[in-house]
Amino acid sequence: MATKRSRRSQNNAEDLPENFDGNEQDVSHTDVSAAAAPGGESNDEDDGERSGDNPVRFMRQRNRAVAEREASRLARPDAPLGSMMLGHASKAKSAVMSTPFGQLMGRKASTKREDNISQEWCGPFSVARQMIAAREEARRLREEQQDLENNKEHHPLDEAMEIVNLEMQRKENPSMNWVSRHKREDGSTTTNYYAKRRKRFHRQRDLMGGSSRVPSLFQLCINLLVENFDCIESLGVVDHSIRRALCETLVARGKMNGAAFDVLAEMGVETLELVDCAQVTQDQFCDSLRVLLPSGLRAILLKHCGRCFGSQAVNVIASIDRENMELFAISLGGAYLLKDSDMAALIESTSRTLSSLDLTACPLLSEQFCNAIGNQYSSSIEDPPNAPLLELSIEDVPLTKEVMLSLGAASDALRNLKSLKLKTMENVDDEVVSIILGSITGGEIEGIDLSNNPSLTDETLSSIRRCNFNGNLRALLLSGLKNLTAIGIEAFFTPIPNFPAPPILRKLDLSQCSYDEINDTVLTLAATSSSFKRASANAIEEETVLHNAGKLASEVSYTGGLVHLNVSGSSISDKSMEILAATSSYSLEELDISFCPNVSDKGLGYLVSKVKPQLSKIFMWGCAQITEEFLDGHDRIEDGGLEIIGVW
């Protein structure tokens, strides 16, 4: 111990200035010795001798002075700094600074800091004091509000009027009458929150096919084949769904390699679908195409195909005689080697039979690709006639606005389109959508996906309404369109004279739009437009639609109604749940209300109690307001067909 102390003393002595003399009595030395003297009296000579003889003691005294000075604002910030500041522990005389910017210049800053404690450096005690002050202020305001309510004059009939108003609200909002199942049965609740969550998790896992349930025969067979896939030479005549399940399981277990591809892509398959082609080489894929195309390959569905699908694969497809080509669907994802000229050549060689084209994240496509569509699918080509283009899906492809305008204006190639998808396209705006939808003259459009195009506004809704003049639109996906307004969407679902009728939708996606614009009125009009009998849709009164969900049942068509609905990130409330229960009880299968804070236990519980058993999934991520009243008490708590995703 003595050796450690002597070593520490030597190190501290080395840190002192070179001209330091223990007998020299400078200002800071005098101040420190003055503070150390009993009763505040100075004893310069004795302290100077002691400091000179023991420099470690001098350093300790100086550090103590700094600590006493800083403790005033860290330990007890409720007292003014000036009243607790020691005279000898000033910043000007101290060699140690605790602020990140060094010494504070001037007396003005110090005075201001002493006068306003709330502006001092944010130490932990300062933050705690501010929180306490805010809480006291909130309590004071709450008490004042309670005093005002207590001092109000009360009429003897006030309680009776409140009861009457409550009964009227219950009639207008039937969800208020819903009672949780466990309250109806015994009224007891478990107090342990984590025990309830654990029980709910295990119950949901068991009902939805968890580890405790016996796997299906199909899954057992798939697992057996995947475990021994290295020993399989041919799958024989099996359905496409089995090959797809095998491919998904192989990818999940990391066994999707070249040998597995040869087994899945054997001669005789009509659909070549691979969820991950990262391990397939371009030469191997081209060799398979030379065998599969003449033998009747009809669909190529590839994801992550950047490595295997490029110019070489296009040349192989183009070398096949058009009379022997039966390819009607091509879906490519992540084809970063596919050039613009190669895509044009691919369309030209397959246009006789190709009806569905899906391209995702193909960064080299541009003008030649769009011109090829316009030239090959134009009505001017009659000998021999090409197949009509029925499905066009373009996602995350950097096409310019001029190129997309030429796609719709140059020819009538899109006249027979049934499904259009322009998703995550930076240059898609209202004009582009208007031109492209205007070129669909056949009136057979059934699905439109314009998600994640931030430039689109309410004008796009008008173009969609005009395009649906035959009333065949069934799916509309407008996720992430922040510029849509409530007025525009309400007009879209409202009957207007001399204008096509509102669409009868089965799938609607208004997720991640502006929070305030997607409200109860919008969802009410969308649900009623999709579920009413067309003859009575124009005759029903708006007051009935918006305020009396119970009267809607007689006007609802059992063959109509929303099937898939996504309104996550919106301001809908229990009123929307009541409307869905009245208009889509026989059709609703999936519902996404994630991050919808205005939906309560009663509204969601009422919906589940009224909708038929076809409802299979409810997504409710970020719904912290949903409690065990619904999660443990809805009417299908013991039904394995309802999966609640997002809570546990």
Side-chain angles (χ1 to χ4, degrees):
M1 181 64 70
T3 304
K4 293 182 178 179
R5 290 182 178 176
S6 61
R7 189 178 304 165
R8 191 181 302 112
S9 301
Q10 293 176 4
N11 294 335
N12 293 334
E14 291 176 358
D15 295 337
L16 294 176
E18 296 179 357
N19 57 354
F20 174 77
D21 186 3
N23 297 323
E24 183 179 356
Q25 298 180 3
D26 55 357
V27 178
S28 60
H29 178 202
T30 304
D31 291 341
V32 172
S33 60
E41 298 178 0
S42 63
N43 191 359
D44 296 343
E45 296 181 359
D46 296 340
D47 290 345
E49 293 176 358
R50 287 194 299 268
S51 299
D53 296 339
N54 190 359
V56 177
R57 182 178 180 183
F58 172 79
M59 293 292 295
R60 187 178 302 159
Q61 290 175 347
R62 186 178 66 175
N63 293 339
R64 178 184 177 90
V66 174
E68 290 177 351
R69 183 194 70 211
E70 298 299 330
S72 62
R73 65 181 176 87
L74 291 177
R76 294 299 297 261
D78 54 336
L81 295 177
S83 62
M84 302 184 67
M85 181 72 70
L86 296 179
H88 64 277
S90 63
K91 289 179 170 32
K93 299 178 181 180
S94 176
V96 180
M97 298 301 299
S98 62
T99 58
F101 304 104
Q103 178 174 329
L104 295 176
M105 302 302 295
R107 178 64 180 169
K108 184 176 181 180
S110 178
T111 304
K112 182 178 180 181
R113 206 174 155 183
E114 293 175 3
D115 295 338
N116 191 358
I117 303 300
S118 62
Q119 297 181 0
E120 62 183 350
W121 178 82
C122 54
F125 293 98
S126 301
V127 175
R129 189 190 67 249
Q130 295 173 8
M131 295 175 61
I132 293 173
R135 184 174 60 186
E136 293 296 330
E137 180 66 17
R139 184 177 66 177
R140 184 185 63 81
L141 295 176
R142 185 169 63 251
E143 291 177 352
E144 291 180 356
Q145 186 67 22
Q146 291 178 354
D147 292 340
L148 292 176
E149 293 179 357
N150 294 333
N151 295 332
K152 289 175 59 177
E153 295 183 359
H154 295 279
H155 193 274
L157 297 179
D158 286 345
E159 295 183 359
M161 293 299 299
E162 291 180 358
I163 295 176
V164 172
N165 292 334
L166 181 60
E167 292 297 329
M168 294 178 61
Q169 292 178 4
R170 290 183 180 276
K171 291 181 180 179
E172 295 179 357
N173 303 281
S175 63
M176 297 177 62
N177 299 319
W178 180 79
V179 181
S180 180
R181 179 177 177 179
H182 65 81
K183 288 185 178 180
R184 293 197 304 264
E185 292 177 351
D186 53 8
S188 61
T189 58
T190 306
T191 57
N192 193 322
Y193 177 68
Y194 292 99
K196 288 186 287 188
R197 293 180 64 179
R198 191 184 307 110
K199 180 180 178 182
R200 186 185 311 136
F201 170 75
H202 289 294
R203 180 179 64 245
Q204 185 74 16
R205 186 187 62 179
D206 294 341
L207 293 177
M208 300 308 301
S211 58
S212 61
R213 298 189 63 179
V214 178
S216 63
L217 179 60
F218 178 82
Q219 190 61 43
L220 288 174
C221 295
I222 293 294
N223 294 337
L224 179 63
L225 291 174
V226 170
E227 291 175 359
N228 302 277
F229 211 76
D230 297 337
C231 304
I232 298 177
E233 296 181 358
S234 175
L235 292 176
V237 182
V238 295
D239 187 68
H240 163 65
S241 60
I242 298 177
R243 294 181 183 271
R244 175 184 173 85
L246 286 171
C247 182
E248 292 176 348
T249 309
L250 286 170
V251 171
R253 298 189 182 185
K255 293 186 175 182
M256 185 61 196
N257 50 29
F261 171 76
D262 292 336
V263 176
L264 293 174
E266 59 186 349
M267 180 183 293
V269 299
E270 294 186 352
T271 301
L272 179 60
E273 182 175 5
L274 302 176
V275 297
D276 191 347
C277 308
Q279 301 299 325
V280 181
T281 63
Q282 191 165 183
D283 294 336
Q284 187 179 16
F285 184 75
C286 292
D287 293 340
S288 297
L289 287 180
R290 293 187 182 95
V291 176
L292 295 177
L293 287 173
S295 62
L297 183 64
R298 304 191 63 196
I300 298 178
L301 311 176
L302 307 176
K303 294 182 180 179
H304 305 287
C305 61
R307 182 184 180 188
C308 66
F309 202 96
S311 301
Q312 187 176 349
V314 173
N315 294 333
V316 172
I317 296 176
S319 64
I320 304 298
D321 187 7
R322 294 190 59 177
E323 298 298 330
N324 298 328
M325 183 72 66
E326 299 182 12
L327 200 62
F328 79 92
I330 295 179
S331 176
L332 304 176
Y336 55 82
L337 295 178
L338 186 63
K339 300 179 182 179
D340 192 22
S341 57
D342 295 333
M343 192 64 213
L346 179 62
I347 294 175
E348 182 179 358
S349 60
T350 59
S351 59
R352 193 185 71 86
T353 57
L354 188 64
S355 298
S356 175
L357 185 59
D358 182 1
L359 301 173
T360 302
C362 301
L364 301 181
L365 302 186
S366 185
E367 183 177 3
Q368 296 184 38
F369 156 64
C370 294
N371 292 338
I373 293 179
N375 296 332
Q376 297 299 322
Y377 291 98
S378 175
S379 59
S380 59
I381 300 179
E382 298 180 355
D383 191 21
N386 292 331
L389 185 61
L390 303 179
E391 298 180 1
L392 179 61
S393 175
I394 305 176
E395 180 179 356
D396 196 16
V397 178
L399 299 177
T400 63
K401 180 178 179 180
E402 291 73 16
V403 170
M404 287 185 288
L405 288 175
S406 65
L407 179 62
S411 67
D412 57 351
L414 307 180
R415 62 190 182 280
N416 296 316
L417 210 60
K418 290 187 176 182
S419 176
L420 174 64
K421 179 180 179 181
L422 298 175
K423 184 177 180 180
T424 318
M425 306 284 287
E426 182 179 359
N427 296 314
V428 169
D429 58 8
D430 295 330
E431 183 181 3
V432 171
V433 173
S434 177
I435 294 298
I436 292 179
L437 292 180
S439 65
I440 305 175
T441 58
E444 300 296 329
I445 189 71
E446 296 179 358
I448 297 177
D449 185 358
L450 301 175
S451 301
N452 301 328
N453 295 315
S455 300
L456 298 182
T457 64
D458 291 342
E459 187 177 348
T460 295
L461 299 177
S462 178
S463 301
I464 296 174
R465 183 82 174 263
R466 292 190 182 95
C467 177
N468 187 39
F469 55 85
N470 281 347
N472 293 322
L473 185 62
R474 293 295 179 266
L476 182 61
L477 286 75
L478 303 175
S479 174
L481 304 188
K482 300 293 186 179
N483 293 326
L484 296 183
T485 64
I487 297 177
I489 304 176
E490 290 173 15
F492 178 76
F493 290 108
T494 301
I496 301 176
N498 301 324
F499 213 64
I504 305 176
L505 299 177
R506 296 294 174 264
K507 184 175 183 179
L508 177 62
D509 187 352
L510 295 175
S511 62
Q512 306 307 321
C513 295
S514 181
Y515 173 80
D516 295 325
E517 305 303 327
I518 309 301
N519 49 37
D520 291 332
T521 304
V522 167
L523 187 56
T524 298
L525 293 174
T528 53
S529 173
S530 302
S531 59
F532 280 165
K533 302 171 185 176
R534 183 52 63 193
S536 61
N538 299 331
I540 191 167
E541 298 180 358
E542 181 179 0
E543 187 71 18
T544 301
V545 172
L546 297 179
H547 300 290
N548 199 337
K551 294 183 179 180
L552 300 180
S554 60
E555 301 294 340
V556 170
S557 174
Y558 293 147
T559 61
L562 293 170
V563 178
H564 302 273
L565 176 63
N566 188 348
V567 287
S568 62
S570 65
S571 59
I572 64 169
S573 65
D574 292 345
K575 173 61 70 174
S576 296
M577 301 297 103
E578 297 168 2
I579 295 298
L580 287 176
T583 59
S584 304
S585 59
Y586 289 89
S587 61
L588 189 63
E589 296 180 3
E590 291 188 10
L591 175 65
D592 192 340
I593 56 169
S594 302
F595 305 100
C596 294
N598 297 329
V599 177
S600 68
D601 293 320
K602 289 187 175 295
L604 203 54
Y606 177 79
L607 174 67
V608 172
S609 65
K610 296 298 182 181
V611 175
K612 303 305 177 183
Q614 80 281 346
L615 180 62
S616 60
K617 291 184 179 180
I618 298 179
F619 298 85
M620 53 174 61
W621 297 99
C623 293
Q625 76 280 4
I626 302 299
T627 65
E628 63 271 8
E629 182 180 358
F630 167 76
L631 298 175
D632 297 332
H634 61 81
D635 288 359
R636 296 181 61 185
I637 192 66
E638 302 296 338
D639 184 0
L642 178 60
E643 183 178 6
I644 300 177
I645 302 173
V647 295
W648 66 278

